[in-house]
Amino acid sequence: MLIRKLISKAKQLVFVYEAGPCGYWLYRYLTKKKLLCWVVAPSLVPKKAGDRVKTDRRDAIQLARLMRSGDLTPVYVPQVEDAAIRDLTRAREDAVRDLKAAKSRVKAFLRRQDIRYEGRANWGPAHLRYTLRGTR
């Protein structure tokens, strides 16, 4: 609705937004509708020294001015498949980090209970058998 209204009033319409945690769905939606859309990195948006007040309205006006003056540089928007692989990789990294933290908590708990493993390597099958036997 808003897009139709804006298109009817403008000769050329360019959508610009800062990249953020919500992904690139808006970019894909607009380009699918054959509309020009730029995604810019917040770190590449020129800012005045001392201008620390951030509101959506001020940011939008600043992005429009910078776009008009040619001072913005778009970032690469990954394809859906690339973004899916990146999400999967990040999820795996999170799971590995969570596993390490959980193992560390279990080892600390067992040390506090004076349950110690005398074997060579931690977290192998023998260690897990010992840990399960030692907690009973």
Side-chain angles (χ1 to χ4, degrees):
M1 178 81 157
L2 175 62
I3 294 174
R4 263 185 267 143
K5 189 186 235 184
L6 292 171
I7 290 173
S8 67
K9 293 182 179 183
K11 291 180 185 175
Q12 182 187 15
L13 199 55
V14 180
F15 293 88
V16 179
Y17 73 96
E18 291 181 345
C22 296
Y24 299 106
W25 65 269
L26 182 58
Y27 170 86
R28 291 189 184 101
Y29 174 79
L30 292 170
T31 54
K32 195 180 222 179
K33 299 264 185 205
K34 307 271 191 267
L35 297 168
L36 183 59
C37 180
W38 280 24
V39 180
V40 295
S43 61
L44 298 177
V45 176
K47 291 180 179 48
K48 295 177 193 167
D51 187 16
R52 295 187 185 181
V53 178
K54 282 193 59 81
T55 65
D56 290 343
R57 184 182 187 93
R58 288 178 103 185
D59 288 350
I61 291 169
Q62 182 184 12
L63 284 175
R65 284 185 182 138
L66 292 169
M67 182 67 196
R68 213 173 317 139
S69 68
D71 291 334
L72 291 179
T73 305
V75 297
Y76 169 73
V77 176
Q79 298 295 320
V80 175
E81 296 81 13
D82 296 336
I85 292 293
R86 183 184 292 172
D87 287 343
L88 181 63
T89 302
R90 286 179 179 161
R92 183 185 181 283
E93 289 170 354
D94 290 344
V96 167
R97 190 172 35 251
D98 292 345
L99 178 62
K100 276 185 168 182
K103 285 180 177 182
S104 179
R105 283 192 299 272
V106 168
K107 285 173 75 173
F109 172 77
L110 293 174
R111 276 195 302 268
R112 285 193 305 272
Q113 304 305 315
D114 201 30
I115 299 171
R116 305 196 186 280
Y117 178 63
E118 303 297 331
R120 285 188 298 159
N122 285 338
W123 301 109
H127 181 260
L128 294 176
R129 279 193 303 275
Y130 175 84
T131 303
L132 292 174
R133 180 179 52 95
T135 57
R136 287 185 188 152

